[in-house]
Amino acid sequence: MKFKETLDSINRCFAIDVEDNLPTIENFDSNLIQEFDKGSFEVLEKFSNETENIYEKSISKRILAIKAIQKARNADSELDIIKIWKLISESLSIIPTIATISSIGSQGFLSIPLFKYDKEMKDFDFIRLHIWDDSLIEYFDKKKSETFSIHTHSFLAQSWPLIGKIGNQRYRINENIAYNNASLFTVEYNKTLNAINQHTSIAKNTGENVKIEQISDEVYFPFSTYKIKRGDYHKSLNLEENGISATIFSFTAKNGVAENSFVVGPMNINESKINRKMHIDATYLIKKINNIIENYE
């Protein structure tokens, strides 16, 4: 992906309140752009360390992190999670809190978008930071979260745990058999909201009843990774006794796109509104992650 597309895909993950402060391609030297487009990031790294503009620095650091994540993902190689976190942490810490999009969805974790490309669906790429913490419980309906926790994704998903202890349970959904214990729901988003991570949505019962069967109960720690294929049913859990876990999470269309994604819920509910709590100040959580990662070194 060329520099302009990368820059645009990162800029759109900043809050609309600061869009006039964000650098455009004209703010970057032609040599930096040429080197980037050839696959060399040394000039960009030097620029990220020297520029005094906080938004140029934030975005430059984030580009470096995203390219490293994409490289490890595409090559199926190990990700230097400490190096990546340092870049992401600085990118988030040096800008005002109003500049960061951070919201809590139905699964109960704080989601911070870092990069999103969706101009061509075959090249769809969405990378986020997910944080679970006990302090977030007040912002979402825990009972509803647990009721609608088993779901699929339209894209291949991959997670790299940063801190904590993350559970991933996988499920088989059996259709058209006796002893059904759940229904399939589709999720319809509010089309009037086009902002990233800021949709309200409604889970609607399809009328198709199914039987849920758990087929795995996995636990992941920092420096590991796991994948969820498009269309596979799973749910993620925070298992950390100290209350906080975090992961880098990506979606890509490199293995195709599922026509629909589903959530599993109770047979006796026709629909359920899913509210996303917006604009959570993540400063405390970023510092908390920093303190834990410092002990890795």
Side-chain angles (χ1 to χ4, degrees):
M1 183 178 289
K2 298 296 185 182
F3 183 80
K4 186 178 187 308
E5 291 175 324
T6 304
L7 176 64
D8 291 345
S9 299
I10 285 183
N11 276 356
R12 63 186 302 215
C13 292
F14 283 73
I16 194 170
D17 294 348
V18 299
E19 64 179 356
D20 291 339
N21 298 318
L22 301 180
T24 65
I25 195 167
E26 286 76 20
N27 294 99
F28 296 89
D29 184 82
S30 60
N31 181 53
L32 181 156
I33 297 169
Q34 290 171 8
E35 289 297 305
F36 180 95
D37 289 346
K38 290 191 296 185
S40 175
F41 309 129
E42 291 180 7
V43 180
L44 176 62
E45 185 173 5
K46 185 173 184 291
F47 174 81
S48 75
N49 292 327
E50 293 179 351
T51 181
E52 295 182 0
N53 182 290
I54 60 170
Y55 290 100
E56 291 178 352
K57 184 179 289 290
S58 175
I59 286 170
S60 299
K61 297 286 184 182
R62 197 172 301 191
I63 291 175
L64 291 167
I66 293 301
K67 295 307 293 185
I69 293 167
Q70 291 172 330
K71 181 179 179 180
R73 185 187 63 196
N74 296 340
D76 203 19
S77 60
E78 187 175 348
L79 183 66
D80 187 341
I81 203 71
I82 295 177
K83 180 180 179 180
I84 296 306
W85 173 250
K86 284 182 177 179
L87 292 167
I88 292 172
S89 172
E90 186 168 2
S91 173
L92 293 170
S93 300
I94 63 176
I95 55 176
T97 57
I98 60 165
T100 299
I101 298 172
S102 55
S103 57
I104 297 179
S106 59
Q107 300 300 310
F109 55 78
L110 186 73
S111 176
I112 298 177
L114 303 172
F115 174 95
K116 187 174 187 181
Y117 177 84
D118 59 3
K119 289 183 179 179
E120 295 183 62
M121 197 51 60
K122 67 180 180 63
D123 296 318
F124 181 89
D125 196 348
F126 193 13
I127 299 174
R128 305 188 302 207
L129 170 64
H130 291 174
I131 305 172
W132 291 261
D133 188 66
D134 290 346
S135 65
L136 301 172
I137 292 174
E138 64 178 295
Y139 296 114
F140 67 97
D141 186 329
K142 187 176 181 181
K143 183 178 179 181
K144 185 180 291 187
S145 175
E146 292 171 349
T147 301
F148 292 93
S149 59
I150 302 171
H151 61 281
T152 69
H153 300 291
S154 296
F155 309 94
L156 173 68
Q158 185 167 1
S159 176
W160 294 267
L162 282 166
I163 61 166
K165 183 178 177 182
I166 296 173
N168 183 58
Q169 297 177 350
R170 301 179 195 261
Y171 295 84
R172 181 183 295 116
I173 301 300
N174 298 299
E175 303 175 9
N176 302 318
I177 64 172
Y179 310 112
N180 294 327
N181 57 8
S183 291
L184 294 185
F185 287 70
T186 57
V187 179
E188 298 183 2
Y189 292 99
N190 182 347
K191 299 292 194 299
T192 63
L193 281 175
N194 195 34
I196 293 174
N197 261 31
Q198 298 181 53
H199 295 290
T200 57
S201 56
I202 297 177
K204 290 195 173 183
N205 196 325
T206 64
E208 183 174 359
N209 296 330
V210 296
K211 183 179 179 182
I212 306 169
E213 179 186 358
Q214 185 175 335
I215 57 175
S216 80
D217 194 359
E218 305 155 12
V219 179
Y220 294 95
F221 298 91
F223 307 103
S224 65
T225 187
Y226 63 95
K227 299 178 183 179
I228 304 125
K229 295 179 181 178
R230 61 186 170 91
D232 281 4
Y233 287 86
H234 87 113
K235 73 174 178 180
S236 297
L237 305 160
N238 176 23
L239 303 177
E240 177 55 49
E241 294 179 0
N242 293 329
I244 185 168
S245 292
T247 182
I248 303 295
F249 206 88
S250 86
F251 301 97
T252 66
K254 69 175 185 177
N255 291 86
V257 182
E259 185 175 347
N260 294 299
S261 58
F262 296 96
V263 176
V264 178
M267 292 186 290
N268 62 342
I269 294 178
N270 291 323
E271 66 178 42
S272 177
K273 188 173 182 180
I274 301 170
N275 290 315
R276 183 180 285 276
K277 178 65 178 177
M278 318 284 195
H279 310 304
I280 306 297
D281 186 349
T283 304
Y284 162 73
L285 297 174
I286 301 301
K287 290 180 179 178
K288 197 171 179 179
I289 296 172
N290 279 334
N291 290 336
I292 294 171
I293 286 186
E294 283 176 3
N295 294 324
Y296 293 167
E297 300 177 276

